Amino acid sequence: MKTAPRPASGKLLYAQSGGVTSVINASAAGVIEAARTHGVKVYAAHNGILGALREELIDTSKESKATIAALRHTPGGAFGSCRYKLKSLETHRAEYERLIEVLRAHDIRWFLYNGGNDSADTALKISQLGKAMGYDIRCIGVPKTVDNDLAMTDCCPGFGSVAKYIAVSTLEASLDVASMADTSTKVFILEVMGRHAGWIAAAAGLAGEGADAPPHVILFPENVFDEAAFLAKVKATVQRVGWCTVVASEGIRNAAGQFLAEAGTRDAFGHSQLGGVAPVLAALVKEKLGYKYHWALPDYLQRSARHLASKTDAEQAYAVGKAAVDYALAGKNAVMPVIVRSSDAPYRWKIEPAPLSKIANHEKKMPRNFMTRDGFGITAAARRYLAPLIQGELPPPYGKDGLPRYATLQNTMVAKKLPAFEI
Ligand code: F6P
């Protein structure tokens, strides 16, 4: 890959984008600590790309070493995130010109955008814009998404921790259901995130192995929801095992292509807001099979559960942040540090640059050979892929009050140099 010499001076702008995770701040720590070693000042955009457009920049050099280190175990997005997609340069030139104006005004020479496939698209567009508008800016994408749907990378930082939370929760709730199934609840339904790709649902499969172990039914968004087959499987499981645990992706659709759980609202990327498939399924189970049920929607709990993070995931999140700085300072442009697996057991991985053009707007779905023939479970190949990603624990430090000691940032804003900009 061609690299250009490092600009003589300049600052690095880091921004978080899209749905946050329990380890995205570990990537921020990787970025800031690596940049500090090279003597490069890091600004963080407040609320992702919106902060860059509004010139709302945070000076991370005001934060202590200990605070930045504590980001490694702090969930959420420390600098604020957003869902905002830059449109094409042709139709929205004013936004791009504003971005360049802000970057130029603050002598920002490197832009690191921490997000999923939509954010990779934004980072790619800014790198193209730099060239088109004659401003020397290097853009690096930093991978993140609980959905695990980025192309080119073995997995996405954020996913391993959600996977661990969902596998553990499936196991624990199933022990609860099993205890009282004779006289009480027979069907437990857990709804998990994953709009178009069933990676999180698949991770629930790690809770047990074999036909009688939970989860007994997994509903993937890659498969059309078949009501009759679903009810038959639930009924057979209750008759055989005495109870049944179902894990359903929020993104499952019927034969007409409609989400079972569409809430009716859309975000700035045009995505439907999902949530509520579990009650739909529960009502079906009650009406057609007459079983007592409980359902749960962990929603944001799953992607913020830093207390149950995967050590592997937290380490990868930090490593991609650090690598992004190394790439940027080496002059690379329009790339993302991705995770490359060289062995399943023991899990061995390394980081390599991949072009943003091959990542932007692509969605990596669960391959067919990761799902059992009836489409309700995971195969040995899926287990081999998933198992290493939930390995290890790295709990946050706890205080005397029994609560985790998370980082509290000052988030000192940089003085504005430009007039306000209407978005
Ligand atoms: O970022 C991915 C994700 O966590 C999806 O799995 C989920 O559908 C979505 O974000 C929720 O987004 P929001 O918080 O914008 O409703």
Side-chain angles (χ1 to χ4, degrees):
M1 198 162 298
K2 261 205 351 224
T3 56
R6 178 180 162 179
S9 69
K11 300 178 197 77
L12 185 149
L13 180 65
Y14 166 77
Q16 302 180 319
S17 175
V20 294
T21 79
S22 65
V23 298
I24 186 173
N25 288 332
S27 296
V31 166
I32 296 166
E33 290 182 353
R36 283 185 180 184
T37 353
H38 291 283
V40 171
K41 188 179 260 202
V42 176
Y43 284 173
H46 181 228
N47 295 339
I49 200 73
L50 289 177
L53 286 165
R54 293 174 178 149
E55 202 193 358
E56 290 175 358
L57 309 177
I58 294 162
D59 185 352
T60 72
S61 70
K62 305 287 183 209
E63 308 292 344
S64 71
K65 203 174 162 193
T67 301
I68 298 304
L71 283 178
R72 281 186 87 152
H73 61 251
T74 301
F79 306 109
S81 183
C82 72
R83 291 202 191 277
Y84 186 81
K85 187 160 177 149
L86 286 184
K87 310 220 171 47
S88 76
L89 189 53
E90 293 72 43
T91 58
H92 285 70
R93 194 165 183 88
E95 273 191 351
Y96 288 92
E97 283 172 354
R98 168 67 176 187
L99 272 175
I100 286 295
E101 223 185 335
V102 172
L103 298 174
R104 200 189 297 272
H106 294 274
D107 192 23
I108 291 162
R109 294 292 169 174
W110 304 279
F111 177 59
L112 270 50
Y113 207 23
N114 200 173
N117 35 33
D118 287 323
S119 316
D121 176 68
T122 301
L124 180 61
K125 283 188 171 134
I126 296 172
S127 75
Q128 291 163 345
L129 146 89
K131 280 201 192 95
M133 297 180 114
Y135 184 72
D136 184 14
I137 179 83
R138 313 284 153 77
C139 288
I140 311 287
V142 186
K144 168 248 55 163
T145 172
V146 294
D147 291 347
N148 201 39
D149 59 357
L150 289 181
M152 305 292 291
T153 185
D154 179 58
C155 58
C156 303
F159 169 68
S161 296
V162 175
K164 189 173 182 97
Y165 179 87
I166 292 300
V168 170
S169 301
T170 301
L171 176 60
E172 291 176 343
S174 295
L175 290 172
D176 187 308
V177 178
S179 320
M180 296 187 66
D182 194 22
T183 55
S184 184
T185 297
K186 293 214 172 1
V187 178
F188 174 67
I189 302 168
L190 180 68
E191 173 175 337
V192 301
M193 282 181 164
R195 186 186 301 272
H196 300 138
W199 297 103
I200 302 177
L206 294 174
E209 207 169 346
D212 292 353
H216 307 97
V217 183
I218 303 177
L219 298 174
F220 299 99
E222 285 84 354
N223 300 335
V224 171
F225 177 65
D226 178 341
E227 185 181 310
F230 165 71
L231 289 169
K233 179 97 181 175
V234 170
K235 189 174 178 187
T237 306
V238 172
Q239 285 173 346
R240 194 178 72 250
V241 183
W243 52 281
C244 176
T245 293
V246 176
V247 175
S249 158
E250 64 177 359
I252 54 171
R253 295 171 193 249
N254 59 23
Q258 294 154 329
F259 287 118
L260 261 63
E262 195 150 337
T265 51
R266 286 181 186 273
D267 67 18
F269 292 117
H271 302 148
S272 304
Q273 179 167 4
L274 302 183
V277 76
V280 172
L281 295 170
L284 200 61
V285 163
K286 181 74 190 164
E287 189 197 317
K288 298 281 167 66
L289 304 177
Y291 296 138
K292 181 173 190 277
Y293 63 79
H294 269 252
W295 58 265
L297 207 172
D299 198 70
Y300 283 179
L301 302 184
Q302 66 201 285
R303 71 180 203 198
S304 62
R306 182 58 187 79
H307 64 286
L308 199 56
S310 146
K311 182 168 187 272
T312 305
D313 185 38
E315 286 173 355
Q316 289 180 331
Y318 184 86
V320 293
K322 182 184 174 305
V325 171
D326 295 341
Y327 293 171
L329 298 187
K332 289 187 169 51
N333 196 13
V335 295
M336 177 181 272
V338 296
I339 297 156
V340 178
R341 178 185 302 222
S342 51
S343 130
D344 293 325
Y347 183 42
R348 289 208 181 89
W349 54 276
K350 61 182 176 182
I351 295 190
E352 280 178 2
L356 285 178
S357 57
K358 292 201 171 161
I359 297 165
N361 300 319
H362 293 286
E363 272 180 333
K364 187 170 75 182
K365 308 265 178 86
M366 281 266 294
R368 187 65 191 87
N369 73 325
F370 276 19
M371 292 176 253
T372 50
R373 194 166 307 163
D374 69 0
F376 290 131
I378 59 166
T379 58
R383 278 176 203 285
R384 269 196 303 280
Y385 166 74
L386 292 165
L389 307 181
I390 68 164
Q391 289 304 309
E393 294 75 43
L394 200 62
Y398 281 78
K400 283 203 181 103
D401 55 5
L403 293 171
R405 285 287 165 262
Y406 290 140
T408 313
L409 277 73
Q410 303 172 46
N411 279 350
T412 310
M413 301 303 284
V414 175
K416 291 190 180 190
K417 299 184 175 186
L418 300 169
F421 178 77
E422 274 301 306
I423 294 171

